[in-house]
Amino acid sequence: MTNVKIFRFDPEREKEPSYVTIDVPQLWEKMTVLDILEYVNDRLGVDIAYRSYCGTKKCGTCGVSVDGKPCLACMTVVRKRKIRIDPLAGFKVIRDLVIERSDYTERFLTIHPYLVRQTEYSDFPERITPNEMKESVEMKRCIECLLCTSACPSYKINPRFAGPAVFAQLGRYGLDPRDGDDRTRLAASQAAHSCLKCRACVEVCPTDAKLGIIDFIDRVQRECAAKQVVDDKGYKSNDLRQMLNGFL
Amino acid sequence: MGNGLTSLANVVDTDIVVVGSGAAGSYSAIKASTSGLRVLLVSKSLLTRGGCSRMSGQHWGPAKFTSPQEIEEDVDRNYNQLGEQLWLVDRKILTAAVAYSEKAIRELEEMGVYWRRTGDGTLENTGPPKPPLYPVASAQGESGSHIMDILGGQLLKMHIPCIEEAVVTSLLTNNGSCVGVTALNYREGEFFIVRSKATILASGHAGGYLWKYCTATRDCTGDGVAMAYRAGARLTNIEFQSWHFSDQAYPESARRLVHLMADLYGKKEAARMVTKAGRSPRQEIEKSVKTNDLGHNPDVHRILAESYGKRGGLYATYTHWKPDELLDAYPSHDVIVKLGFKPSELIPLGTSAHTNMGGLHINEQCETSLAGLYAAGGVANGSPTVLHCLWSGETSARSAAERARQATTPDLDWSQVREEETRVSSFLKLKPKDGFTPAQVKQKIREVMWGKMWFLKNEMDMTAGKEEIQRVRKELLPKMGLVSVSGKFNFGWVESLDVDCMLDVCEIMILASMMRKESRGTFKRTDFPQTDENWFKRIIVTRSDGTPNLSVESASSSSGKE
């Protein structure tokens, strides 16, 4: 039996969030947080709003916070007798466990989330080796679940910093040998220099994108510094980092 | 809006509306917008994140053909493997989809899809050892995710307007033509109307989520098939549901995880299937079926079903792999690792409902029987593959664009709009004390289907299933209501609409299954175990006077099998 406390909030009707507490039996071995959400809704009729489509770490929509830690509901096996499920921290709540993703989506729209070929596509099959694609392929495994952004201390205090998820997406194209876009400038426009490289994102990432995210950000930071790329507010690289160091 | 629906003034005008953002919907929107017409895409899920396309492990089509004959051979090989039922699809459709593969693979690569290479840069083959070559996007098991990310990027690159987290509730008709859709933007709790010169339905197949255990995603509740049926379109082959016998048994919410019992890259078994005692059922299977694919072959499924029943009692093991090599070849395997299964542990397998082959009856132009309505992907009758989605996505876009260029903005039938608005708003009500939430009713429906409409069917079970579905409609529906009636992201509201669709689709599916007095491909009846060539026919379902009307038509004139 697991004692589960689930966050409830309907901002349209309620002033304050509350929790609903339910005892959930051990349904089977390796029961996940998603199993619990399905049980309380489909069996008990509690009607908690949550996002989830696939249940197998592909859709990237079931991110929640379990006992304060960002995780995917579908990949988190419940081993404790008591857990608390909250919406992902750092985002506005639309309802219950459903978060507002628009800050991510709006930034995503501006970073050219597609391949911008440096030379025209020649013919099928193009000349490319798995070695050349390795780094990009790792970043392509990012499922945009936003756990990293939720865990990021810089994102929390710096509204101009896009958060790691946006950089993972920039990385998937920026590290693709076929891409010719100025990903460094795009990274600078999202305040890449505010990354502290604290690796909080790496720790929570459920995919292979964690393998390259810090290296990619490090690379764009160095390129920003070398090219003296100035972001839209006039900060040079590392200025903000120094400012933030005072807070952390 | 807070409570209730917006005014009828909320009409969006477009040339073409696309319903769904899976492979078929995204691709058709991309193709349609290159024609210079106004395209609007409406997606029930977050853009490109719902539906089956993202779940697809392979692309299912060859990279190059050297002759037209090779295309025909590939049609035969492909569909013999997936099951006899596919020969009921018009051969022209099967051939056109397979032939499209060459173009699709090239075009996807141009957009940025990385087809997996071996060390020296040659394309890796996931198909038979002989040509044609079957490439895989990114890696085995993750083709769908990779292709969907690339298609999603193209939608944004082309600035195609998309409304996500909005469920289309009905197809609007006027004077026998489809003139648009009504939709509920559940993110905001707003009802809106799209008036269009052409409508492309790409909302996914009708199977899957109707059953307790399924590979379909949570959003796939057969909406498209139900809406088309209500709007008067012809449905066909809806009784042909395919099954998996090698999916993750628990955790149950991870049931969509498929353990591919096929050879990987033609070299090595992905997973070995064993009993708890470690014995392989392969010998037993190979007595009557010759295949290297234990994952898809319906005759393999019959043998397993007869021996092991619903829960399988079978396990997957990967001990023949070195862990690193396994993760490199099949990266999705890390889900198993994440769920805490040790490499030596037997992974319990279960049965689940997979794709449905039937749907809207289309011709090779992807036209449905309703003027102005086109269907692409799983919602249409055809093979349930990403390849079929891409071919039908492109074809429906071309046909819809042709119509939209010639048509003027259609008039709406306002009484129909008001009626639909009333229906949608009627679900936004509190549940009575002894009532049920829509999620509970859905669960009930899924249990009935699992109990009475499983892979092995018979007349008695299906009759009982039909009665139980009718009872759900009569007794549970009046007691169904929500925990809250606020509008924003009230997912229970969406689920109420899902229930209404699921009940219609279940009823049609049961009736069609009862009508077919034989077994064929994935359709297995224990009371009619043989394939009967007199039944080489399609069952057509239409709606007349509010009830399903079933008829049969011969498939021989346009037979899939040559």
Side-chain angles (χ1 to χ4, degrees):
Chain A
M1 192 75 84
T2 305
N3 181 266
V4 188
K5 240 175 113 174
I6 309 172
F7 180 93
R8 271 220 111 133
F9 188 33
D10 178 2
E12 228 174 286
R13 293 285 170 96
E14 294 154 6
K15 281 205 174 89
E16 295 290 328
S18 60
Y19 283 92
V20 51
T21 306
I22 301 157
D23 284 330
V24 178
Q26 178 80 32
L27 302 165
W28 38 79
E29 268 184 71
K30 299 177 171 74
M31 184 171 75
T32 64
V33 172
L34 184 57
D35 285 327
I36 289 180
L37 293 174
E38 289 187 355
Y39 178 82
V40 299
N41 271 12
D42 302 349
R43 302 275 160 190
L44 308 180
V46 177
D47 203 13
I48 297 284
Y50 65 93
R51 283 195 185 100
S52 154
Y53 309 117
C54 79
T56 56
K57 211 190 69 166
K58 280 184 185 287
C59 73
T61 62
C62 70
V64 289
S65 171
V66 175
D67 294 334
K69 196 186 162 209
C71 60
L72 290 181
C74 69
M75 287 293 109
T76 305
V77 175
V78 178
R79 295 199 171 84
K80 291 199 277 187
R81 302 182 75 153
K82 203 171 176 174
I83 63 163
R84 198 184 77 233
I85 309 171
D86 289 289
L88 275 182
F91 300 93
K92 201 179 124 198
V93 172
I94 296 175
R95 191 192 192 103
D96 301 342
L97 302 174
V98 178
I99 55 153
E100 178 60 81
R101 290 173 60 105
S102 61
D103 180 57
Y104 169 77
T105 310
E106 280 160 23
R107 290 170 187 270
F108 180 68
L109 289 172
T110 68
I111 59 151
H112 306 167
Y114 38 82
L115 184 68
V116 181
R117 287 184 173 274
Q118 43 180 314
T119 54
E120 214 174 299
Y121 177 68
S122 51
D123 199 10
F124 179 84
E126 58 190 344
R127 282 169 193 278
I128 198 161
T129 66
N131 224 12
E132 291 169 314
M133 283 300 291
K134 187 175 176 289
E135 285 180 317
S136 171
V137 164
E138 280 166 9
M139 302 303 272
K140 283 184 205 311
R141 302 221 164 101
C142 168
I143 53 171
E144 301 172 69
C145 62
L146 308 186
L147 302 191
C148 54
T149 300
S150 175
C152 176
S154 200
Y155 181 77
K156 219 167 281 172
I157 58 172
N158 180 2
R160 297 198 308 106
F161 180 55
V166 170
F167 294 102
Q169 288 300 314
L170 259 173
R172 77 179 277 164
Y173 299 104
L175 295 167
D176 190 319
R178 303 167 294 178
D179 191 79
D181 204 4
D182 188 351
R183 301 287 170 184
T184 305
R185 187 186 56 78
L186 291 169
S189 74
Q190 298 296 336
H193 43 269
S194 300
C195 168
L196 306 166
K197 295 178 212 159
C198 68
R199 304 182 70 79
C201 54
V202 175
E203 268 168 46
V204 298
C205 176
T207 75
D208 276 358
K210 65 173 167 279
L211 301 173
I213 179 78
I214 297 290
D215 284 351
F216 175 72
I217 294 177
D218 190 49
R219 202 187 83 183
V220 293
Q221 283 184 347
R222 277 187 282 112
E223 280 172 16
C224 285
K227 292 181 189 165
Q228 289 288 300
V229 177
V230 175
D231 82 356
D232 58 339
K233 291 285 187 296
Y235 291 107
K236 279 187 202 153
S237 61
N238 289 337
D239 289 357
L240 264 178
R241 174 141 198 236
Q242 280 151 19
M243 285 166 59
L244 280 168
N245 279 345
F247 287 101
L248 295 168
Chain B
M1 56 154 267
N3 188 359
L5 303 173
T6 46
S7 76
L8 292 178
N10 210 356
V11 179
V12 185
D13 271 310
T14 185
D15 294 322
I16 298 172
V17 62
V18 177
V19 182
S21 71
S26 302
Y27 199 66
S28 70
I30 291 164
K31 291 290 178 181
S33 79
T34 54
S35 63
L37 295 160
R38 292 171 302 165
V39 177
L40 173 71
L41 188 150
V42 184
S43 171
K44 187 177 183 182
S45 66
L46 286 171
L47 201 60
T48 75
R49 309 210 77 85
C52 299
S53 306
R54 196 166 274 277
M55 310 296 291
S56 172
Q58 283 172 299
H59 167 73
W60 278 104
K64 254 187 180 124
F65 293 107
T66 49
S67 67
Q69 194 199 341
E70 209 172 75
I71 298 173
E72 298 299 336
E73 282 169 11
D74 200 66
V75 170
D76 288 333
R77 177 171 45 221
N78 228 328
Y79 298 116
N80 276 331
Q81 182 183 353
L82 290 173
E84 184 73 10
Q85 76 283 353
L86 277 155
W87 300 123
L88 287 174
V89 178
D90 193 324
R91 174 100 191 179
K92 279 184 241 155
I93 290 176
L94 298 176
T95 307
V98 167
Y100 193 74
S101 181
E102 198 173 342
K103 190 180 167 203
I105 285 175
R106 188 192 187 282
E107 205 170 292
L108 288 172
E109 184 173 87
E110 189 171 1
M111 287 177 185
V113 165
Y114 166 64
W115 299 104
R116 186 173 158 116
R117 264 85 169 161
T118 56
D120 63 355
T122 50
L123 286 160
E124 195 141 25
N125 185 19
T126 63
K130 282 184 197 160
L133 176 76
Y134 276 73
V136 58
S138 196
Q140 185 92 20
E142 59 182 31
S143 278
S145 301
H146 187 38
I147 291 172
M148 288 320 299
D149 282 349
I150 296 289
L151 293 179
Q154 293 297 309
L155 288 174
L156 303 178
K157 186 180 178 184
M158 298 174 76
H159 303 288
I160 297 168
C162 302
I163 304 176
E164 55 180 5
E165 299 195 320
V167 56
V168 168
T169 68
S170 76
L171 301 171
L172 293 171
T173 56
N174 201 359
N175 293 324
S177 290
C178 183
V179 293
V181 302
T182 58
L184 173 68
N185 175 346
Y186 62 89
R187 165 77 178 73
E188 298 300 329
E190 287 172 358
F191 181 76
F192 65 100
I193 300 138
V194 181
R195 179 164 50 183
S196 62
K197 295 172 186 168
T199 300
I200 299 174
L201 193 60
S203 54
H205 67 84
Y209 209 77
L210 304 180
W211 282 267
K212 186 179 173 197
Y213 299 111
C214 65
T215 58
T217 54
R218 186 183 177 210
D219 47 319
C220 290
T221 46
D223 310 8
V225 167
M227 289 188 292
Y229 163 70
R230 290 173 198 155
R234 265 160 69 103
L235 308 178
T236 188
N237 288 334
I238 202 81
E239 69 277 24
F240 289 105
Q241 174 64 33
S242 72
W243 296 79
H244 272 177
F245 280 71
S246 53
D247 293 347
Q248 186 76 25
Y250 66 77
E252 282 194 358
S253 61
R255 180 59 73 102
R256 300 171 191 97
L257 193 72
V258 180
H259 295 272
L260 288 166
M261 302 295 164
D263 295 354
L264 267 187
Y265 309 126
K267 293 175 212 153
K268 198 163 180 174
E269 280 173 295
R272 277 188 187 146
M273 191 187 263
V274 291
T275 62
K276 196 155 196 174
R279 194 177 54 81
S280 166
R282 214 173 241 278
Q283 268 186 323
E284 196 179 326
I285 291 164
E286 280 171 355
K287 274 182 214 157
S288 48
V289 189
K290 290 277 166 274
T291 178
N292 70 348
D293 184 354
L294 304 192
H296 297 96
N297 189 303
D299 292 312
V300 172
H301 295 167
R302 182 183 46 76
I303 295 165
L304 295 176
E306 283 165 358
S307 308
Y308 301 96
K310 282 181 189 171
R311 287 292 300 199
L314 290 163
Y315 297 81
T317 165
Y318 290 87
T319 48
H320 55 295
W321 284 88
K322 287 182 183 152
D324 285 358
E325 285 174 10
L326 175 59
L327 285 171
D328 176 56
Y330 187 29
S332 319
H333 187 75
D334 86 326
V335 169
I336 302 296
V337 179
K338 282 218 154 52
L339 290 172
F341 286 93
K342 296 181 195 79
S344 59
E345 202 170 336
L346 291 178
I347 298 161
L349 296 175
T351 309
S352 36
H354 190 44
T355 54
N356 187 281
M357 188 190 87
L360 276 77
H361 189 280
I362 53 166
N363 61 15
E364 68 267 34
Q365 304 303 325
C366 290
E367 293 166 323
T368 70
S369 63
L370 188 60
L373 179 68
Y374 305 85
V379 77
N381 170 40
S383 82
T385 58
V386 175
L387 179 55
H388 177 76
C389 290
L390 298 175
W391 166 76
S392 56
E394 205 256 1
T395 307
S396 61
R398 191 166 6 93
S399 300
E402 216 163 280
R403 179 184 171 91
R405 260 188 234 108
Q406 288 160 10
T408 52
T409 303
D411 290 327
L412 295 177
D413 172 356
W414 285 100
S415 65
Q416 200 181 83
V417 174
R418 280 187 203 100
E419 206 175 296
E420 178 60 7
E421 188 192 25
T422 307
R423 184 184 78 93
V424 171
S425 61
S426 74
F427 289 117
L428 192 65
K429 59 163 194 252
L430 286 174
K431 79 176 172 76
K433 229 178 181 164
D434 61 341
F436 307 93
T437 63
Q440 287 174 302
V441 179
K442 275 164 97 171
Q443 188 66 20
K444 176 69 189 162
I445 295 170
R446 299 175 74 199
E447 277 167 10
V448 170
M449 292 296 276
W450 184 253
K452 306 296 180 196
M453 273 287 284
W454 192 58
F455 173 66
L456 296 178
K457 299 176 175 67
N458 63 60
E459 192 76 15
M460 205 173 77
D461 278 354
M462 291 192 283
T463 307
K466 190 179 89 177
E467 283 162 10
E468 284 187 46
I469 289 294
Q470 283 164 348
R471 199 174 312 129
V472 171
R473 199 193 286 275
K474 218 170 128 200
E475 292 170 16
L476 265 53
L477 224 51
K479 285 185 176 181
M480 184 174 82
L482 310 173
V483 171
S484 144
V485 289
S486 56
K488 280 192 183 178
F489 219 106
N490 194 338
F491 201 71
W493 193 6
V494 179
E495 293 192 297
S496 309
L497 295 159
D498 291 349
V499 166
D500 220 18
C501 290
M502 286 166 74
L503 287 172
D504 278 354
V505 179
C506 289
E507 191 184 355
I508 296 165
M509 215 175 265
I510 295 171
L511 291 175
S513 301
M514 289 172 75
M515 191 175 199
R516 183 169 289 280
K517 306 272 192 270
E518 63 152 357
S519 293
R520 180 179 296 270
T522 57
F523 182 78
K524 302 286 186 212
R525 286 187 65 149
T526 52
D527 45 357
F528 295 96
Q530 302 302 322
T531 302
D532 176 357
E533 280 321 306
N534 293 321
W535 261 107
F536 193 60
K537 289 170 182 159
R538 297 183 194 109
I539 295 176
I540 305 288
V541 184
T542 51
R543 192 191 203 203
S544 67
D545 300 328
T547 53
N549 177 32
L550 278 71
S551 57
V552 287
E553 67 168 32
S554 167
S556 347
S557 60
S558 56
S559 158
K561 200 165 194 170
E562 283 194 329

